[in-house]
Amino acid sequence: MKNIFIINGHQKYPFSEGKLNASLTEKAESYFKSNGYIIKKTSMEDNYDVNEEIEKFKWADVVFFQTPLNWMGVSWSFKKYIDEVFSMGMMGEMSDGDGRSKEAPKKNYGLGGKLSGKYMMSVTANAPKEAFNNPEETFFNGISEDELLKPMHLNFKWFGFEPLPTFMAYDVMKNPEIENDFNRFENHLKANF
């Protein structure tokens, strides 16, 4: 049986209450429960204890996190969570510092992770799908969704986690296709778990 740690990284704003992120988080939880997974959860709306959060990461076989794309990254509350939990975790619980040694101080930066397991990002974005992987769309200049999210991938790699394919719901504010997103999301989970 696998242990799944689910994080809802949404930050509430007057123009964005987080209903879609909450719905995707609930759908993930329902899917995992119906398939016999053990679940622990955290939401950016919760008060949390840093040491308890570190224990959740150590316990998890899979970390699933749901987040909006906010200014090309995660919400400030999720970034604060990462700064607090990951910074304490790198003090020996989740990684041995930054992975370098006194014998080789210029090698193995970022490779001190002590955890194993996988992670999956599920992202809601106002950007349309066509904005990615297309050099003619000059804002992203042809980069992919995962290239944009590279800092989050590196954060998890730091601790030894390996990626599962990323899910993205596109154009969620101007041209939402919520039912289609829910169907794609369910198929995405089935394909990877």
Side-chain angles (χ1 to χ4, degrees):
M1 190 159 310
K2 292 203 177 208
N3 298 331
I4 306 277
F5 177 26
I6 298 174
I7 303 170
N8 181 348
H10 189 268
Q11 168 74 36
K12 287 187 178 179
Y13 294 100
F15 58 88
S16 178
E17 295 179 30
K19 291 178 184 175
L20 180 56
N21 283 284
S23 293
L24 290 166
T25 301
E26 289 165 10
K27 287 184 179 300
E29 182 178 1
S30 176
Y31 176 83
F32 293 134
K33 275 185 180 174
S34 69
N35 285 284
Y37 292 88
I38 300 169
I39 297 167
K40 292 185 180 183
K41 302 183 296 184
T42 295
S43 169
M44 294 309 100
E45 300 297 316
D46 299 338
N47 291 320
Y48 57 85
D49 176 271
V50 169
N51 292 319
E52 288 175 13
E53 297 306 299
I54 288 170
E55 291 304 314
K56 290 177 187 177
F57 281 100
K58 290 167 57 179
W59 166 86
D61 296 310
V62 176
V63 177
F64 171 89
F65 69 91
Q66 179 65 50
T67 185
L69 184 64
N70 281 32
W71 293 105
M72 310 319 127
V74 298
S75 66
W76 74 265
S77 58
F78 193 13
K79 177 65 168 79
K80 178 180 179 282
Y81 172 91
I82 290 166
D83 287 349
E84 292 175 344
V85 175
F86 285 13
S87 294
M88 284 301 294
M90 70 175 274
M91 305 309 290
E93 290 292 315
M94 294 168 59
S95 74
D96 287 324
D98 67 11
R100 296 180 289 173
S101 66
K102 289 181 183 176
E103 298 76 35
K106 303 291 184 185
K107 294 186 177 184
N108 297 319
Y109 177 80
L111 300 179
K114 296 170 77 174
L115 306 181
S116 61
K118 299 191 182 295
Y119 69 95
M120 177 182 281
M121 287 190 271
S122 177
V123 181
T124 57
N126 188 45
K129 182 177 176 66
E130 294 77 10
F132 297 97
N133 303 295
N134 182 356
E136 292 178 14
E137 285 291 324
T138 57
F139 182 74
F140 287 135
N141 244 357
I143 67 170
S144 71
E145 297 86 339
D146 284 310
E147 286 171 311
L148 178 63
L149 297 165
K150 187 73 169 176
M152 287 304 291
H153 285 296
L154 289 173
N155 289 338
F156 279 85
K157 183 177 183 179
W158 181 282
F159 296 108
F161 287 102
E162 296 180 13
L164 291 165
T166 301
F167 175 82
M168 188 171 282
Y170 303 93
D171 218 353
V172 299
M173 294 180 86
K174 291 198 173 180
N175 297 294
E177 296 182 2
I178 304 304
E179 287 308 314
N180 183 46
D181 289 337
F182 288 163
N183 290 333
R184 288 189 313 104
F185 184 65
E186 184 176 343
N187 290 334
H188 188 85
L189 292 176
K190 285 179 182 175
N192 292 288
F193 293 98

